Structure formats: structure tokens, C-alpha cells
Amino acid sequence: MLYHLTAVVFGMVGLTYAAVPLYRTFCQATGYGGTVQHKETVEEKIARHSGSGRSFNKIQCFCFEDISVPVQETS
């Protein structure tokens, strides 16, 4: 019985010492608890998306023709 009680006490002390590093790791991974997560900068976003427009194929010009509307009419 004494061996079980000793094992429980040592286990609880070990978990107490491991709680701070485990909590810090959890907070860094999730952003919980006031820690800051890494925000992607504009340059990183541009570098990440630089190759995404390769498959875009422009098939029609998006230009509009000017239309003259007389003063009495509405568009």
C-alpha cells in the first residue's frame, strides 16, 4: 500500500514540474493564454501565392463601352 501511495506522490510531483513547459507549449501552439502566434507578413503572402496565377487564362477583355445618356433619360 505504501508503494502505491509513494508512486502517486512522485507522479503528482512530476506532473507539477511538467505543467509549466507543457502549458507554455500548448499556449504557443494555440495562441491561448496571451501568447502571440506568428502572423504572416505581406511579403510572405505574396511569395506563397506567386505561382497561383499560372493556370489563369484570360479569354475576354473586361473593357466597357461608353454610352451617352441624354439629360432627360436615366441609365
Side-chain angles (χ1 to χ4, degrees):
M1 178 74 171
L2 184 62
Y3 294 115
H4 294 293
L5 182 62
T6 305
V8 168
V9 168
F10 278 113
M12 293 177 74
V13 170
L15 286 176
T16 302
Y17 281 108
V20 173
L22 289 174
Y23 181 73
R24 186 177 297 132
T25 304
F26 170 77
C27 291
Q28 287 175 348
T30 62
Y32 183 75
T35 59
V36 180
Q37 290 182 331
H38 173 71
K39 294 290 270 186
E40 191 174 35
T41 63
V42 174
E43 290 83 12
E44 291 172 341
K45 287 181 183 179
I46 291 171
R48 185 168 47 101
H49 292 296
S50 64
S52 62
R54 293 182 188 158
S55 61
F56 180 72
N57 187 12
K58 184 178 174 182
I59 58 173
Q60 183 180 359
C61 180
F62 296 107
C63 302
F64 297 100
E65 297 178 11
D66 290 337
I67 300 174
S68 297
V69 179
V71 178
Q72 294 85 13
E73 295 183 13
T74 58
S75 55

